[in-house]
Amino acid sequence: MVEDPERRRRARHLGPERRRPLILDAALEVFSANGFAGTTMQSVADAAGVTKPVVYDSFANRDELLLALLGREEQHLVVSIVSALPADPSVGTPEEHVLEGLTAFLTAVSKQPQSWRIVFGAQYGAAPVVAERVRAARAFLVESLRLTLLQSLPGVADPDANLPVLAELLASMTESCARMLVVDGTDRTPAELAKTVSQVVAGGFGNV
């Protein structure tokens, strides 16, 4: 983790509200490097260049700190998700939608790896309230995909029965691709991963 002397200097001299974004920046770096277990109030204080009581002035405990960090990073992720969804799902095929949308989405993921690492990593070893926040973010993704599929596949015989299943499968593939990019360190590009998923979609959705 690269130290930022200027950030450390500013953090020491700001009030709690103005200091919070700087502490969150430090927390994101610590979490990305050390995971949930290694993200302590002391480690965040060290990264921010302040004492631990200063961190407690901004956040009551580690869960509150991590929830605030999740909330901030989710805003980046929601923008990525929404911008990747087709403007008009009724135009084009599901395969085309997946290829175009997933390429855009995974490209955004590759540019924001720290945001995604905290979403993935917070599922493991976190307090229930934090894990629930992560599940809510994923539920948003699944519902967005379900609504897109509903418009993309007007001929589906029983959308209430089939589309939630398809959306969940597509969400799982999307999540797996994102994890490969930011956690596993795959050498495949976002476009290559998106093409693979779109080919699966082409072979499977046509039989619904």
Side-chain angles (χ1 to χ4, degrees):
M1 182 169 56
V2 178
E3 291 189 0
D4 185 342
E6 176 61 20
R7 185 180 67 193
R8 294 167 71 93
R9 185 190 66 76
R10 285 182 291 145
R12 283 194 293 266
H13 295 92
L14 295 175
E17 287 306 311
R18 295 180 64 191
R19 190 185 295 122
R20 283 170 64 95
L22 300 177
I23 291 176
L24 290 177
D25 289 342
L28 181 59
E29 292 178 6
V30 172
F31 189 95
S32 296
N34 303 324
F36 184 84
T39 305
T40 64
M41 299 297 268
Q42 184 62 62
S43 64
V44 172
D46 292 342
V50 298
T51 62
K52 187 161 66 171
V54 170
V55 178
Y56 277 108
D57 283 343
S58 298
F59 301 97
N61 51 53
R62 183 174 68 161
D63 286 344
E64 182 178 302
L65 171 61
L66 189 56
L67 281 172
L69 185 57
L70 274 169
R72 189 183 75 169
E73 299 310 309
E74 280 175 7
Q75 295 303 308
H76 301 315
L77 309 187
V78 167
V79 169
S80 298
I81 291 169
V82 171
S83 63
L85 296 175
D88 185 357
S90 64
V91 177
T93 66
E95 181 182 6
E96 291 170 339
H97 293 161
V98 171
L99 179 59
E100 179 181 354
L102 192 54
T103 297
F105 175 68
L106 293 177
T107 298
V109 167
S110 68
K111 294 178 179 178
Q112 298 173 300
Q114 288 184 319
S115 298
W116 284 97
R117 286 193 190 103
I118 189 172
V119 168
F120 290 139
Q123 300 177 71
Y124 306 104
V129 65
V130 177
E132 179 58 34
R133 181 64 172 270
V134 175
R135 285 193 290 270
R138 189 174 188 280
F140 170 82
L141 170 60
V142 173
E143 178 61 12
S144 297
L145 292 170
R146 189 190 71 81
L147 294 174
T148 297
L149 293 173
L150 183 62
Q151 297 178 68
S152 299
L153 302 171
V156 173
D158 189 354
D160 290 336
N162 293 321
L163 289 183
V165 176
L166 297 178
E168 181 65 36
L169 290 173
L170 186 51
S172 294
M173 288 188 286
T174 299
E175 185 178 52
S176 294
C177 289
R179 186 185 297 276
M180 290 173 67
L181 286 171
V182 304
V183 177
D184 300 335
T186 179
D187 57 0
R188 303 189 69 189
T189 67
E192 290 171 340
L193 292 170
K195 183 177 180 180
T196 298
V197 175
S198 68
Q199 290 171 338
V200 172
V201 169
F205 287 3
N207 297 319
V208 175

